Amino acid sequence: MVVKMKRTARILNGIEIAAQIKAEVAEEAKALAASGITPGLAVVLVGHVAASEIYVRSKVKTCAELGLWSEMLTPPESITTEELLELIAGLNARDEVDGILIQLPLPAHVDTRRLLEAVSPEKDVDGFHPINVGRLQSSASHGIEAGKALAPCTPAGIIEILRRSGIAVAGQHAVVLGRSEIVGKPAAMMLLNASATVTVCHSKTVDIGRYTRDADILVAAIGRPGFVTVEMVKPGATLIDVGINRVTDAAEVARFFPGDAARAAQFAQRGSTLVGDIHPAAFELAGAYTPVPGGVGALTIAMLMKNTVTAAKARRGAAARDSEVAAAKA
Ligand code: GUN
């Protein structure tokens, strides 16, 4: 009898890694509080987008859990770009506000680019301001490991998962699927800073499988459920799945999770289930992978908290250290 050995891929648990980072952030916030600084985050949520509301509430709640201060601004959908620019200018001017986050997407009539560029680079905890985009690409010394960069939260989370899981990046071929400003492009830049050889594939790439089959690290961020199939993956590769796609079609769920009773029960109860950009069958071939849910998504808020503390330390920490030194001398 031939016994087929099934590869046991290692699961990279985003929830556990996020918990580690949050614990570190809480420690740092406590240390800052001892010198009279409570790191503060202002979140701007325009109008009523259900998904954004859930996401923002979670950000505000996590701030409270870690000893950060937060404020939520909820202007109506009808607000103009000019009015939002005034609102941002007000937040830029307030010393106790360390981080400013404008929840995206904004209504179509708002000039998103102008707004993102209006946020003070020192308070840009999303890392979307051109100054921070430039800093990210200009030097690895601004890397998140140096605790300096305000880098976009999702790709920063990917780097943390790889680093904390002891997965080698230097010299490896990293293939990034997707070229968005929020994930794909900054992820490619951060992997390059970590000395990977990087390939970026996108909707115009001819024969994506040709590249993914050679990937030691594959980052999928295109928002298409199960796009990466078993045939597209190199056995033993590290698969990082950024996709969080809600699937509501029963036949599709059965196709993604054949014989998975737990998923079927969950789908029957909720009427939907989450599927990443990587087909679940491909995970079986991997050396390690991030599950959906419970993988990359779990890191994003933790990295936002980390960026807020980094911003507080960079902007206000020096002043606090100076006053400590003065007090010690007195
Ligand atoms: N909407 C979806 N993801 C993000 C993000 O990372 N930052 C902001 N500001 N909005 C988002």
Side-chain angles (χ1 to χ4, degrees):
M1 191 176 79
V2 178
V3 179
K4 209 174 157 196
M5 291 293 286
K6 198 170 157 182
R7 180 186 289 273
T8 314
R10 180 175 160 210
I11 299 175
L12 306 174
N13 187 327
I15 295 169
E16 272 174 26
I17 296 170
Q20 278 173 19
I21 293 167
K22 285 195 253 182
E24 291 163 14
V25 169
E27 275 301 309
E28 287 196 71
K30 212 164 127 187
L32 280 169
S35 44
I37 297 168
T38 304
L41 174 68
V43 182
V44 181
L45 173 64
V46 179
H48 296 282
V49 178
S52 292
E53 281 174 353
I54 293 167
Y55 208 32
V56 163
R57 238 180 278 133
S58 182
K59 289 171 181 175
V60 167
K61 186 167 155 257
T62 310
C63 278
E65 283 165 6
L66 306 189
L68 276 62
W69 163 95
S70 75
E71 182 174 292
M72 198 167 138
L73 296 96
T74 54
E77 166 106 25
S78 58
I79 192 167
T80 64
T81 300
E82 297 303 326
E83 287 165 334
L84 275 167
L85 286 169
E86 267 176 47
L87 187 146
I88 298 300
L91 294 173
N92 283 340
R94 283 170 57 194
D95 190 50
E96 75 278 18
V97 174
D98 295 297
I100 301 170
L101 182 138
I102 305 169
Q103 186 65 30
L104 304 178
L106 290 166
H109 68 269
V110 172
D111 187 338
T112 300
R113 182 53 38 210
R114 258 183 94 194
L115 275 185
L116 296 180
E117 293 189 10
V119 173
S120 161
E122 280 67 43
K123 299 188 177 190
D124 170 36
V125 285
D126 254 330
F128 293 164
H129 191 285
I131 292 261
N132 287 321
V133 175
R135 280 181 182 150
L136 190 68
Q137 78 87 44
S138 69
S139 162
S141 69
H142 285 289
I144 49 170
E145 282 166 44
K148 289 187 201 161
L150 292 179
C153 299
T154 300
I158 293 171
I159 298 294
E160 287 285 336
I161 290 177
L162 293 170
R163 191 166 69 83
R164 290 177 190 247
S165 306
I167 290 169
V169 177
Q172 301 295 293
H173 185 198
V175 174
V176 178
L177 303 188
R179 54 174 161 175
S180 73
E181 312 262 321
I182 295 181
V183 184
K185 279 189 198 170
M189 192 52 67
M190 292 167 94
L191 288 161
L192 181 59
N193 284 343
S195 300
T197 300
V198 181
T199 301
V200 182
C201 299
H202 47 78
S203 54
K204 298 286 187 291
T205 300
V206 176
D207 189 6
I208 287 180
R210 179 179 145 202
Y211 304 97
T212 58
R213 274 189 290 277
D214 187 56
D216 302 304
I217 299 170
L218 179 60
V219 176
I222 45 173
R224 289 175 62 181
F227 176 84
V228 176
T229 56
V230 178
E231 303 76 47
M232 293 168 73
V233 168
K234 175 157 101 176
T238 298
L239 305 181
I240 304 289
D241 196 346
V242 186
I244 302 176
N245 310 293
R246 191 168 290 282
V247 173
T248 54
D249 177 52
E252 215 179 349
V253 174
R255 188 165 63 78
F256 285 130
F257 305 101
D260 185 337
R263 274 289 174 160
Q266 188 203 52
F267 179 74
Q269 193 193 359
R270 299 186 188 163
S272 69
T273 193
L274 297 178
V275 180
D277 291 348
I278 300 177
H279 195 294
F283 290 148
E284 289 175 22
L285 205 65
Y289 71 96
T290 60
V292 176
V296 176
L299 266 294
T300 302
I301 292 182
M303 297 313 291
L304 173 66
M305 301 295 119
K306 188 175 161 98
N307 274 352
T308 304
V309 168
T310 298
K313 282 202 298 197
R315 197 177 56 84
R316 294 202 278 164
R321 275 193 302 277
D322 290 348
S323 66
E324 252 174 54
V325 170
K329 280 186 184 160

